[in-house]
Amino acid sequence: KNEVEQSPQNLTAQEGEFITINCSYSVGISALHWLQQHPGGGIVSLFMLSSGKKKHGRLIATINIQEKHSSLHITASHPRDSAVYICAGQTSGSRLTFGEGTQLTVNP
Amino acid sequence: DAGVTQSPTHLIKTRGQQVTLRCSPKSGHDTVSWYQQALGQGPQFIFQYYEEEERQRGNFPDRFSGHQFPNYSSELNVNALLLGDSALYLCASSTRSNQPQHFGDGTRLSIL
């Protein structure tokens, strides 16, 4: 069992739909990161959170420390949101343990 | 303000060769981490450098080694390349405080 698991692995949505990606972790973490990776490889940090909820534009990230679970929500999805979304737990120091990623495709 | 820069962007090597990948951290960052991302998988932690020393290491063999220079830039060296070393190698920089890491665009290494 991976220390950080995401679901679903693949997600296809129609433009405008509300999207949820889930992340569960089994290790002690100091923070949970949500990242976005576009084709070609570059990774962009979306959120870093250790409790509660954060919002940036159409993106919302939540974390439940007791249940060791986090969710990334995208409201009013758009084709430009198509990318791989990865959650990662920050363990000792600033080391990150990554999930396998969720490939999101938003069709117009 | 330049972010994290990695070079080269692409590299093709053959089995048994050696390779050196380079990373310049974001301005103001002093900690560099290296990750290996195989196709279709999440990145795996290789090691982390701070104050020119390896501080943490993931589950990678000794063929993987690194270095950090006084200007905080870093190199990743891989010896005796195997086909399975084909991957995207990502560098991330941060400060020692609890702040998000910044990633470079990666070096795509192909082993023939």
Side-chain angles (χ1 to χ4, degrees), chain A residues 30-31 33 35 37 40-43 45 48 86 90 92-96 98-100, chain B residues 31 35 37 41-43 45 48 56-58 88 90 94 98-101 103-105:
Chain A
S30 57
H33 296 250
L35 309 113
Q37 186 172 33
I43 290 181
S45 179
M48 174 181 168
I86 308 174
Q90 182 170 325
S92 56
S94 53
R95 171 178 179 166
L96 297 180
F98 290 81
E100 296 287 307
Chain B
T31 301
Y35 297 88
Q37 186 177 25
Q41 298 183 21
F45 177 77
Q48 182 180 90
Q56 297 184 78
R57 189 178 182 91
L88 179 69
L90 293 160
S94 60
N98 198 25
Q99 295 298 314
Q101 293 186 27
F103 286 82
D105 288 336

Side-chain angles (χ1 to χ4, degrees), chain A residues 56-78:
Chain A
H56 185 257
R58 295 180 294 105
L59 303 179
I60 303 166
T62 64
I63 188 169
N64 184 317
I65 301 296
Q66 287 73 31
E67 295 186 4
K68 294 187 175 179
H69 180 270
S70 177
S71 294
L72 175 69
H73 305 285
I74 305 175
T75 62
S77 59
H78 190 277

Side-chain angles (χ1 to χ4, degrees), chain A residues 5-18:
Chain A
E5 292 198 332
Q6 287 184 237
S7 63
Q9 276 189 300
N10 294 281
L11 183 56
T12 300
Q14 288 301 121
E15 184 173 355
E17 286 185 357
F18 181 84

